[in-house]
Amino acid sequence: MSWRRIDIDQYDEDAYTEDEILSEFETGLTPEQATSAAQTRSTDVRNLLTRGDLNNALTRALEDPPYGRNLDLAKNESTKTVTEVLNLFRASDIAQIIKSLTCEQQDVLMKYLYAGMGKPEQYNSSVLLTWHEKLTEVAGNGCIVRVMTDKRTVF
């Protein structure tokens, strides 16, 4: 038996499993409730978009991201909603809207950008990269570091 194949964590009583680590980030919603909340948010965003209120549509899309395990449908719906809103902004307006977001909203936006970039067959990568560039200019590299180290994910 090679030493590289031994799971030494099995002998450590203080070792945490992924379930134990991620359980503190659970929202307390069942997958059905989270999916329903994401669909309601998506409907609200579409209503704001039909009124031409892009700024509030983006703000609403970034509210209450679905954090937790087994919420794939809610996460996909939320990512789809955010990317649909992002596609409607003109490149010249991006920096201004990013400046109007709070630091937490900027971090959530960065999470959605990475979620979208992880699925280039579904989402327009050039739009996401433009948003990423502008968001990094406004929020700085700290936004990237916070998102990469945060265990709460939207993908």
Side-chain angles (χ1 to χ4, degrees):
M1 179 158 75
S2 172
W3 61 274
R4 294 177 191 217
R5 297 181 190 188
I6 297 173
D7 180 16
I8 61 170
D9 287 334
Q10 70 182 345
Y11 302 111
D12 185 5
E13 59 209 33
D14 293 330
Y16 293 106
T17 63
E18 184 176 349
D19 286 342
E20 291 172 326
I21 293 170
L22 296 178
S23 66
E24 69 183 85
F25 302 118
E26 294 290 326
T27 58
L29 298 175
T30 65
E32 293 80 20
Q33 291 171 328
T35 303
S36 175
Q39 290 170 343
T40 301
R41 189 171 42 256
S42 179
T43 302
D44 293 346
V45 168
R46 284 192 183 91
N47 289 337
L48 289 167
L49 290 175
T50 56
R51 286 188 246 144
D53 193 356
L54 292 175
N55 295 353
N56 285 332
L58 179 60
T59 303
R60 178 69 178 118
L62 295 175
E63 289 176 1
D64 301 322
Y67 294 134
R69 298 168 290 161
N70 306 319
L71 301 177
D72 294 335
L73 291 175
K75 290 179 179 187
N76 289 338
E77 180 70 25
S78 295
T79 303
K80 180 180 161 200
T81 301
V82 171
T83 54
E84 285 174 0
V85 174
L86 298 180
N87 286 329
L88 298 175
F89 279 91
R90 291 187 310 238
S92 59
D93 297 336
I94 294 174
Q96 188 64 31
I97 185 63
I98 290 174
K99 289 177 185 175
S100 70
L101 298 174
T102 66
C103 184
E104 184 177 338
Q105 289 171 327
Q106 291 172 350
D107 290 351
V108 172
L109 175 57
M110 185 66 81
K111 289 177 185 182
Y112 281 117
L113 291 176
Y114 285 134
M117 284 189 256
K119 298 176 183 175
E121 65 281 354
Q122 290 180 342
Y123 305 110
N124 187 346
S125 295
S126 65
V127 171
L128 298 177
L129 286 171
T130 302
W131 275 88
H132 186 273
E133 176 189 4
K134 301 293 184 185
L135 182 56
T136 305
E137 286 175 9
V138 173
N141 291 334
C143 182
I144 297 171
V145 173
R146 286 189 297 274
V147 169
M148 290 295 178
T149 58
D150 195 353
K151 298 223 184 296
R152 301 172 301 164
T153 63
V154 293
F155 50 88

